[in-house]
Amino acid sequence: MSQALLEVTVLDPRDVPGAAEGGADRLHLVARGSGVATSPEPALASAVCRESDLPVFVLLRLNDTWTTTGGELSRLIGLAEDYLACGASGVAFGFLDADLEIDRDVCGHLAGALPRVPWTFGRAVDDTLDLRRSWRRLLELPGLVGVRSAGSPRGLEAGYDELLALASGDASVARLLMPGGGLLAEQVPWLVRAGVRQFHLGTQARPGSSYKAYVDAGHVRSWRLLLDELVGREHDRAARTAG
């Protein structure tokens, strides 16, 4: 794997070839209904996993809010077990409590019910009231390998500066941060310089920046080349500094 991890959202098995050929490292599988990403059917997860050897992380979310109920929680665990049995490598979820804080109880329960299963926390973190406090809480959760964030519910256009400041000031944040939500190529060099090594593509991987089009290998490859060049350059710079 390259020094930078590139994750691409897929909705359909027909998205997989473009992501794989373009150089993606991981697939983020969701179902898209009325504009909100939710958990796909296990049959879809199975079909996507059969298309490639790339790791597939499947979304756990059953409604259009960042909260969940006890009944839903049991269903989410069952879905996660089905996804893993279909060949998924991990899951993605993120829940908040009524005070718009990271719901450590729910997230901790899910992580505990899926021992040794890696997972990523999603954009729910951008809706919390205090991003720095939220990150402190996230860092306490077991099994977490990435946090997809734009720094603001309005995307990276609004949250980039704060997100960059967070990553620049805390190596633990930089290690887990996976910028997503309108990521622009011109933002990447500064994020790489801050120590960020995971990046997420949504519509950027598709012609016309539309989920109506399938993931395109050329679009993904342009990001792959950009990341490899910037991370390699940063590695060389760090080596010269150390020497």
Side-chain angles (χ1 to χ4, degrees):
M1 184 180 291
S2 122
Q3 291 174 288
L5 184 146
L6 181 60
E7 179 182 87
V8 176
T9 291
V10 298
L11 313 176
D12 184 279
R14 287 167 287 189
D15 284 327
V16 177
E21 292 166 17
D25 297 304
R26 186 168 70 210
L27 307 178
H28 173 67
L29 175 62
V30 307
R32 293 190 69 87
S34 56
V36 176
T38 55
S39 292
E41 291 296 326
L44 177 58
S46 178
V48 166
C49 290
R50 288 197 302 269
E51 283 295 314
S52 171
D53 292 332
L54 288 177
V56 178
F57 278 32
V58 190
L59 178 64
L60 299 180
R61 186 182 183 187
L62 293 175
N63 65 59
D64 61 359
T65 75
W66 296 128
T67 61
T68 190
T69 64
E72 280 188 350
L73 191 55
S74 297
R75 186 178 169 204
L76 287 171
I77 293 170
L79 275 173
E81 292 170 343
D82 287 342
Y83 297 150
L84 295 167
C86 289
S89 301
V91 291
F93 57 85
F95 297 103
L96 309 182
D97 61 23
D99 297 319
L100 294 182
E101 301 279 8
I102 302 296
D103 195 328
R104 288 181 292 189
D105 290 340
V106 167
C107 294
H109 182 77
L110 271 172
L114 303 167
R116 297 178 297 283
V117 176
W119 62 282
T120 58
F121 194 96
R123 288 281 309 280
V125 65
D126 294 335
D127 281 323
T128 59
L129 298 179
D130 186 324
L131 201 56
R132 293 178 183 274
R133 182 169 66 235
S134 296
W135 270 95
R136 288 195 296 271
R137 295 183 175 191
L138 286 171
L139 292 171
E140 299 171 356
L141 293 170
L144 184 64
V145 297
V147 178
R148 185 161 56 92
S149 174
S152 165
R154 293 178 291 151
L156 275 158
E157 183 179 6
Y160 167 72
D161 288 339
E162 183 172 6
L163 204 60
L164 180 61
L166 273 171
S168 300
D170 191 328
S172 296
V173 172
R175 177 178 58 83
L176 287 177
L177 176 61
M178 181 166 52
L183 181 66
L184 300 175
E186 54 262 37
Q187 295 167 337
V188 175
W190 302 101
L191 290 162
V192 168
R193 177 65 66 90
V196 177
R197 294 294 183 271
Q198 301 186 68
F199 295 87
H200 178 91
L201 299 182
T203 58
Q204 303 100 318
R206 300 166 186 268
S209 294
S210 171
Y211 278 116
K212 294 180 180 178
Y214 295 124
V215 170
D216 177 78
H219 284 59
V220 177
R221 189 174 298 111
S222 66
W223 285 89
R224 173 82 275 161
L225 293 173
L226 174 67
L227 291 177
D228 288 349
E229 178 185 354
L230 291 170
V231 171
R233 189 184 303 167
E234 183 63 19
H235 182 270
D236 291 343
R237 187 193 68 81
R240 287 195 303 271
T241 301

